[in-house]
Amino acid sequence: MRALQISEPNQWRRVDIETPSDPVAGQAVVRVHRMGVCGTDIACFTGRFPYFEFPRIPGHELGVEVVAVGDGVSNIAVGDRCCVEPYINCGDCYSCRRNNTNCCEHNQTFGVMCDGGLTDMVTLPAKKLHPAPELRYEQAALVETLAIGCHAVDRGGAESGDNALVLGAGPIGLSALEFVRVSGARPIVADISETRLAFVRDVMGVPDTILIQGNDADIDALSRLTDGQLADVVIDATGNHHSMNRAFEFAAFSGRVVYVGIAHQDLQFSHSQFFHRRELTLLASRNALPRDFTRIIKLIGDGTIDTDPWITHRGGFDEVPELFPTWIDPSSGTLKAIIEVN
């Protein structure tokens, strides 16, 4: 069975792997139809993701079809179209016992910490498959990206009347933007790229944007938009330590700051000037919860979330080694690339 493997930084290799055997109790075999490419995949490909080891088959944003189920499986059936919750949790640690499966102490994210879905068929725990009968396969592949933003906005407690600033207008930032809007909070988006901000305004329909310059002008711009109050919720989706260090500057007194991006560097910030004086709350946001997937499937299905603007590039399985370097080139304008596996 064919698969694509990242063999070393910036290098693809086509490999043959065994076709999955019949699933055991609690498992399912699925055919992979679509895979979304996200920032994690790009960081893995370039050798910049801390939890990735070479060689590995990537792929965790997946739209799949169930082809076989093991004993005791009742949540899905053969033929079901599903999205994948790729966080393989142990079920036994303290976090799992408290239903915080997104931050399992022994988490193995499918396609990142273990081989993933850039292949024809894979075996997964059936409980990690969420039926999405009304969604197209490419929409099912977008659910996980949206779940990251959903969980981040929930962590920040955004609600009607809040000013919610999203730092970073990449896929994760835009997924957070979707749920800021669903929450009823007022969305404001900031980025260093005017091209991305134009997409936010013209395609996503969000008028309030800030072009980040790295100085006091950024704070002044937010102050003008919020009548001097700044942001009740700041969601940093950049993964850039310079941005994350500055995130507190944008927060209103008693505001909440959520880190959803992952930085490699240590972070430093002024405790007295911003964090303590404003009595801020700092939150991390990791992965997502099962309920987020169920919620997003419904929101896409009923049209509350329109996924059509998200997909800017497509390519077939055999085209990935050639196309992938172009997708990760900032000049390409790629927001979300979808790989057509089957």
Side-chain angles (χ1 to χ4, degrees):
M1 186 176 67
R2 61 181 186 159
L4 280 172
Q5 183 185 75
I6 303 175
S7 57
E8 57 186 90
N10 302 299
Q11 188 64 51
W12 289 100
R13 180 170 63 197
R14 180 164 173 157
V15 295
D16 292 321
I17 62 175
E18 291 186 6
T19 300
S21 56
D22 291 339
V24 301
Q27 291 187 334
V29 175
V30 299
R31 178 174 291 110
V32 180
H33 284 271
R34 298 292 184 271
M35 171 188 152
V37 176
C38 81
T40 297
D41 297 312
I42 294 170
C44 293
F45 178 70
T46 56
R48 295 182 291 106
F49 198 75
Y51 310 122
F52 189 87
E53 296 180 358
F54 301 96
R56 180 145 294 155
I57 299 167
H60 63 279
E61 296 183 359
L62 304 172
V64 304
E65 173 192 3
V66 179
V67 297
V69 297
D71 291 341
V73 172
S74 59
N75 64 310
I76 54 171
V78 172
D80 281 354
R81 182 183 295 120
C82 298
C83 66
V84 174
E85 179 189 337
Y87 324 121
I88 312 301
N89 61 295
C90 72
D92 295 322
C93 70
Y94 183 56
S95 293
C96 287
R97 296 198 306 271
R98 298 170 68 212
N99 293 320
N100 296 323
T101 54
N102 62 306
C103 53
C104 167
E105 297 171 31
H106 309 290
N107 174 71
Q108 293 284 294
T109 299
F110 193 67
V112 180
M113 300 165 185
C114 57
D115 281 342
L118 193 45
T119 184
D120 289 311
M121 293 190 291
V122 293
T123 301
L124 285 163
K127 65 182 180 181
K128 296 298 180 179
L129 297 169
H130 296 266
E134 297 182 0
L135 273 54
R136 304 187 303 273
Y137 283 116
E138 63 184 28
Q139 291 178 309
L142 292 177
V143 171
E144 195 272 341
T145 290
L146 288 162
I148 299 295
C150 177
H151 187 62
V153 172
D154 283 352
R155 290 283 287 161
E159 59 186 12
S160 180
D162 283 344
N163 291 306
L165 173 67
V166 177
L167 295 171
I172 298 304
L174 294 182
S175 70
L177 168 61
E178 293 281 16
F179 288 93
V180 167
R181 295 200 289 195
V182 169
S183 75
R186 175 198 183 189
I188 304 169
V189 180
D191 199 283
I192 61 173
S193 168
E194 177 54 41
T195 300
R196 285 189 167 185
L197 294 179
F199 180 89
V200 168
R201 293 190 297 268
D202 300 340
V203 180
M204 304 298 286
V206 176
D208 296 325
T209 63
I210 299 170
L211 181 65
I212 293 293
Q213 303 174 59
N215 54 40
D216 289 343
D218 306 331
I219 310 302
D220 292 341
L222 179 63
S223 182
R224 287 193 297 272
L225 287 173
T226 60
D227 295 327
Q229 297 173 9
L230 302 182
D232 302 285
V233 181
V234 178
I235 298 173
D236 194 299
T238 66
N240 180 287
H241 69 289
H242 296 298
S243 175
M244 295 167 78
N245 284 338
R246 289 195 69 207
F248 300 101
E249 299 177 34
F250 296 96
F253 281 70
S254 73
R256 289 92 69 196
V257 175
V258 182
Y259 286 158
V260 61
I262 301 174
H264 297 275
Q265 299 86 354
D266 290 340
L267 303 180
Q268 295 180 335
F269 56 88
S270 171
H271 176 264
S272 60
Q273 184 179 4
F274 297 113
F275 194 66
H276 182 82
R277 181 167 176 261
R278 298 185 185 181
E279 197 182 51
L280 302 180
T281 300
L282 174 62
L283 299 137
S285 180
R286 184 184 182 193
N287 298 331
L289 292 166
R291 66 171 183 254
D292 300 324
F293 289 79
T294 305
R295 180 186 183 196
I296 292 162
I297 290 168
K298 182 178 183 300
L299 290 171
I300 296 174
D302 68 17
T304 300
I305 292 179
D306 179 11
T307 60
D308 287 344
W310 282 72
I311 302 171
T312 56
H313 294 69
R314 289 181 173 84
F317 179 92
D318 292 326
E319 298 174 293
V320 170
E322 177 184 358
L323 290 178
F324 201 89
T326 68
W327 291 339
I328 66 177
D329 182 343
S331 66
S332 70
T334 304
L335 173 61
K336 177 63 67 174
I338 292 288
I339 298 171
E340 299 171 352
V341 181
N342 283 299

